[in-house]
Amino acid sequence: MELLGSTQTATYARPRTSNFLPAISTMASSYKSHYPHFALTHSINQPWRTNMFYKTASAIPTLASIQRVPPDLTKAKVNFYPSNRSALVNRYTPDDWHKSNQSNYRESESSRHSAERLRRDTTRLIQDKEQLTRRNQESTNKNIGERINDIAFWRSELTHETGNMIGEINTLTDVKKRLERALAETEGPLQVAQECLYHREKRMSIDLVHDEVEQDLLKEVEMIKSCQERMRRHLDRVNAQLASNRAAQHELERDVNDKAEAHRIDDKCHQLRNTSDGISYYRGVERLDPSLSIPDSWAKFTDNNILRSQSERAASARLRDEVEILLNTTSNEMWNQFNTVNVAFTNRMAETADAKNNLQTHLAKTLQEIFQTEMLIETLKKSIRDKESPLKVAQTRLEERTRRPNVELCRDNPHHRLVSEVREIGDTIQKLKERLRDAEDTLQTLVRTKVSLEHDLSVKANSLFIDQEKCMGMRKSFPSTPRLVGYT
């Protein structure tokens, strides 16, 4: 017998899982509301007592304190009866069951609709990209075809210009041969003038040139030599022009060959199709090479080659005209001067004497200037040496300040001033050195002038002796005009 007033308690074991509602979805939301394990305060070994004599212990937990019910579900009302005291209390109502089914239906429909949209969008994307790829390939084929036409146009222009250049080279080569023969023919008149001026050839240095003073005597030899020199210069120009023409021809031919190869490659590329043999992957070939040319530079390169060839042809034509004029002019000048070679010897000797006196005066002035320039050079050297110590001080200060630690190594005002000082001193030394070099060059020029003046004095004395003693006696037996013109 139990005492009246004591509370009948029972302990419930963990509910059997067979009394739970079955899972209706594989989603995690179907397993959110399981009951946790809990123990009631009643003793299972004691008989059941109705509550008419006993009150239920307050230690029995409620469902609200041991589970979380989704907000959209209605909590079921649970009654405990002696007949189901060991069974699991029902967790959901039929409305909850139907709501769960409807939620799964809606989720399934949403997933199917998303998959259908993805499938339609993917199909449309594949079609769009296929059309884009086809349009791009057609555009590329069109561009390659236009490129082939451009190459063919420039190739024809280059071929035409190459033919014109070859013709100009052949014409200029004929002119070159004529100029070489004319130059060889000047040796005959030169030998006649040299026989007459044999003793005058013993003059030294500057007196061997033709000037206004000796124009009547020296002009014959100098004219022939001048004509020969002009012929040689024109011959060098002709050779240089031929080299330039051949270089332009070489550039044209190389450009033609390159365009022929490019035409072959582009034509091969234009004929390639998706079903062609020999197509393959070349990873990275689409990367931009900055060294490649662009259409503007490509067209400009060929246009420049053609313009260069045309310019060389124009220069070659002008040179041919100049050579023709030169041949006629030199022929007239040599024969006209030959007839006036015996004039004004007396005036020449007087002028030579005056020149000798003037040279002596200039030599004295030059010696004085040499002395003053040497003093200037010594002054500049001393000034440069005086700048070395301030430069060393400034550079040493800069070098010492570079050892300042951490943040103290600051480009402050003293640093900027030292850098400016080093630069200013360096510029000063550089300017002084440049001025020293100018002074030294001037000194060398003065020394050369002095040597030249001294040499000219000896030359003038020798020339006076030759003109007075040698040439005047020889000119008396100079051949007559008919013999000079070759009549006899």
Side-chain angles (χ1 to χ4, degrees):
M1 295 270 314
E2 293 181 355
L3 296 177
L4 296 175
S6 63
T7 303
Q8 178 68 42
T9 61
T11 301
Y12 287 87
R14 185 171 182 171
R16 293 188 301 269
T17 58
S18 60
N19 290 334
F20 281 98
L21 291 176
I24 60 177
S25 174
T26 59
M27 299 178 61
S29 61
S30 301
Y31 304 95
K32 289 181 179 178
S33 302
H34 290 171
Y35 279 106
H37 175 72
F38 64 91
L40 300 178
T41 60
H42 295 283
S43 175
I44 196 170
N45 296 323
Q46 295 180 355
W48 176 261
R49 300 293 185 182
T50 60
N51 56 3
M52 63 187 304
F53 297 104
Y54 305 94
K55 292 183 179 180
T56 305
S58 61
I60 299 175
T62 63
L63 294 176
S65 64
I66 63 176
Q67 72 173 2
R68 294 179 181 178
V69 179
D72 57 344
L73 299 179
T74 302
K75 182 173 70 175
K77 183 177 181 181
V78 181
N79 294 323
F80 293 94
Y81 297 96
S83 60
N84 62 352
R85 64 181 180 272
S86 300
L88 178 66
V89 179
N90 293 333
R91 296 173 59 188
Y92 302 106
T93 63
D95 291 339
D96 297 335
W97 183 81
H98 288 294
K99 289 180 180 180
S100 177
N101 291 339
Q102 292 298 325
S103 176
N104 289 331
Y105 299 156
R106 289 192 298 271
E107 184 176 357
S108 175
E109 291 177 356
S110 176
S111 299
R112 291 197 310 274
H113 291 165
S114 297
E116 289 175 359
R117 285 195 303 271
L118 177 62
R119 191 169 59 252
R120 289 194 301 269
D121 293 343
T122 303
T123 302
R124 184 167 59 253
L125 176 64
I126 292 173
Q127 293 174 354
D128 293 342
K129 294 304 179 181
E130 179 64 24
Q131 294 177 1
L132 177 62
T133 301
R134 186 170 55 254
R135 288 196 302 269
N136 289 338
Q137 193 174 63
E138 292 174 355
S139 177
T140 301
N141 290 336
K142 179 181 177 182
N143 291 336
I144 293 177
E146 294 175 353
R147 179 67 172 181
I148 291 173
N149 294 333
D150 293 341
I151 292 174
F153 168 77
W154 285 114
R155 184 181 177 186
S156 63
E157 293 293 322
L158 288 169
T159 303
H160 177 72
E161 183 61 30
T162 302
N164 293 336
M165 178 55 72
I166 291 174
E168 179 62 31
I169 289 174
N170 294 333
T171 304
L172 188 59
T173 302
D174 295 337
V175 173
K176 175 187 173 183
K177 293 179 180 179
R178 289 182 52 200
L179 184 59
E180 290 174 346
R181 290 193 297 265
L183 181 60
E185 290 295 329
T186 59
E187 292 298 329
L190 181 60
Q191 291 297 326
V192 174
Q194 288 177 345
E195 185 67 25
C196 296
L197 300 175
Y198 172 75
H199 295 288
R200 290 186 58 85
E201 290 175 357
K202 296 178 183 179
R203 292 179 303 165
M204 297 180 296
S205 186
I206 192 64
D207 280 10
L208 289 176
V209 298
H210 88 277
D211 52 11
E212 295 179 355
V213 177
E214 290 184 332
Q215 61 182 353
D216 293 331
L217 179 62
L218 299 176
K219 221 168 190 182
E220 183 178 10
V221 174
E222 295 298 328
M223 183 66 68
I224 295 174
K225 291 182 178 180
S226 176
C227 292
Q228 288 180 341
E229 182 63 25
R230 283 183 287 172
M231 289 180 182
R232 291 191 185 98
R233 287 200 301 266
H234 280 75
L235 185 59
D236 293 339
R237 290 178 58 189
V238 169
N239 290 329
Q241 187 63 49
L242 282 174
S244 299
N245 291 350
R246 293 191 181 97
Q249 178 188 358
H250 174 71
E251 292 296 330
L252 292 174
E253 291 175 348
R254 185 174 65 176
D255 202 356
V256 168
N257 294 334
D258 292 344
K259 288 202 168 26
E261 182 66 16
H263 188 278
R264 182 189 65 80
I265 293 173
D266 284 348
D267 186 64
K268 178 181 177 181
C269 294
H270 190 257
Q271 295 177 2
L272 285 178
R273 297 296 181 268
N274 296 333
T275 58
S276 300
D277 296 334
I279 59 176
S280 178
Y281 289 109
Y282 297 93
R283 300 297 182 185
V285 73
E286 70 278 2
R287 287 196 294 267
L288 178 63
D289 187 355
S291 64
L292 298 179
S293 63
I294 59 176
D296 292 340
S297 63
W298 172 81
K300 185 174 179 58
F301 176 78
T302 302
D303 189 43
N304 288 340
N305 285 336
I306 294 176
L307 291 177
R308 176 190 174 187
S309 177
Q310 292 175 348
S311 177
E312 295 296 342
R313 286 196 298 111
S316 180
R318 290 193 300 269
L319 182 58
R320 287 190 287 108
D321 295 338
E322 291 178 6
V323 170
E324 291 290 343
I325 296 174
L326 175 67
L327 292 175
N328 296 327
T329 302
T330 53
S331 177
N332 295 330
E333 288 177 354
M334 285 186 293
W335 288 107
N336 291 334
Q337 185 60 34
F338 183 78
N339 296 323
T340 58
V341 73
N342 287 325
V343 179
F345 259 95
T346 303
N347 293 334
R348 173 59 186 165
M349 289 184 291
E351 290 173 353
T352 303
D354 293 339
K356 182 180 178 181
N357 296 331
N358 292 332
L359 286 173
Q360 291 175 344
T361 302
H362 284 285
L363 179 59
K365 293 180 180 179
T366 301
L367 292 174
Q368 180 64 26
E369 190 64 31
I370 288 174
F371 174 75
Q372 294 179 356
T373 304
E374 289 175 348
M375 296 298 296
L376 176 63
I377 290 174
E378 293 300 327
T379 302
L380 288 172
K381 288 181 179 179
K382 182 179 180 303
S383 178
I384 292 173
R385 287 194 301 269
D386 293 340
K387 298 298 182 298
E388 292 178 355
S389 296
L391 179 61
K392 291 178 181 178
V393 171
Q395 290 182 347
T396 303
R397 287 174 176 175
L398 277 177
E399 198 278 334
E400 287 295 331
R401 285 174 62 85
T402 58
R403 296 189 177 91
R404 290 176 296 169
N406 300 326
V407 74
E408 295 301 326
L409 188 61
C410 177
R411 290 181 294 181
D412 49 10
N413 289 333
H415 175 80
H416 292 299
R417 190 65 193 91
L418 285 172
V419 172
S420 177
E421 182 181 359
V422 169
R423 290 177 179 173
E424 289 175 357
I425 296 175
D427 292 339
T428 301
I429 293 175
Q430 184 65 27
K431 290 180 180 179
L432 290 176
K433 287 182 178 180
E434 291 178 356
R435 189 57 56 87
L436 178 60
R437 287 194 296 269
D438 293 339
E440 290 175 347
D441 293 340
T442 302
L443 179 61
Q444 293 297 324
T445 302
L446 291 172
V447 171
R448 287 194 298 267
T449 303
K450 170 182 168 292
V451 174
S452 177
L453 290 174
E454 292 175 347
H455 179 68
D456 282 346
L457 283 174
S458 62
V459 168
K460 292 299 182 291
N462 184 60
S463 299
L464 285 174
F465 174 78
I466 291 174
D467 288 342
Q468 292 176 352
E469 303 296 333
K470 299 290 185 180
C471 293
M472 290 304 295
M474 185 185 64
R475 295 303 296 180
K476 296 177 181 179
S477 60
F478 192 81
S480 61
T481 299
R483 293 179 60 185
L484 292 175
V485 298
Y487 290 141
T488 58

